[in-house]
């Protein structure tokens, strides 16, 4: 019984983490890593309005924190969200 409760507790903590908004440190690290991977992002510039729209959408969906959203707009990075899992698949430079 105790093992079952412990396992359920661990699983609930892990599931909470998977739905937590990506903070600034994680988001900026992800941007650096994705920029170094060839073919990870499409290297055609997108207009600032589209970049801002993607960032605002990710923020309002709870995928990134407000600080990460502000940083994204300041440095021109935007999240690419997987349409099936609703997770951030990449952080690309606009």
């Amino acid at each position: 019984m105790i093992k079952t409760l412990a396992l359920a507790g661990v699983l609930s903590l892990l599931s909470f983490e998977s739905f937590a908004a990506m903070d600034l440190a994680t988001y900026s690290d992800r941007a650096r890593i994705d920029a170094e991977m060839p073919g990870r992002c499409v290297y055609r510039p997108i207009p600032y309005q589209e970049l801002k729209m993607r960032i605002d959408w990710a923020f309002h969906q709870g995928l990134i924190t407000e600080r990460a959203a502000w940083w994204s707009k300041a440095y021109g990075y935007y999240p690419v969200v997987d349409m099936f899992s609703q997770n951030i698949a990449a952080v690309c430079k606009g």
Side-chain angles (χ1 to χ4, degrees):
M1 180 74 168
I2 292 175
K3 288 181 184 179
T4 304
L5 289 175
L7 179 62
V10 168
L11 290 176
S12 69
L13 288 175
L14 291 176
S15 66
F16 174 77
E17 284 297 317
S18 67
F19 293 115
M22 192 177 285
D23 66 353
L24 177 57
T26 306
Y27 190 83
S28 60
D29 284 344
R30 183 73 181 265
R32 181 186 50 79
I33 291 167
D34 289 341
E36 293 174 357
M37 294 176 71
R40 185 74 170 160
C41 296
V42 176
Y43 291 104
R44 93 178 149 76
I46 65 171
Y48 182 75
Q49 291 297 40
E50 184 178 342
L51 178 133
K52 186 178 176 298
M53 180 186 67
R54 290 177 183 226
I55 294 166
D56 288 341
W57 185 86
F59 171 65
H60 291 299
Q61 295 298 315
L63 299 175
I64 60 175
T65 62
E66 187 175 15
R67 287 188 67 206
W70 281 101
W71 182 87
S72 294
K73 292 174 187 174
Y75 291 99
Y77 286 92
Y78 64 94
V80 176
V81 179
D82 182 290
M83 63 188 254
F84 298 109
S85 68
Q86 295 297 311
N87 291 323
I88 296 177
V91 178
C92 298
K93 179 80 169 154

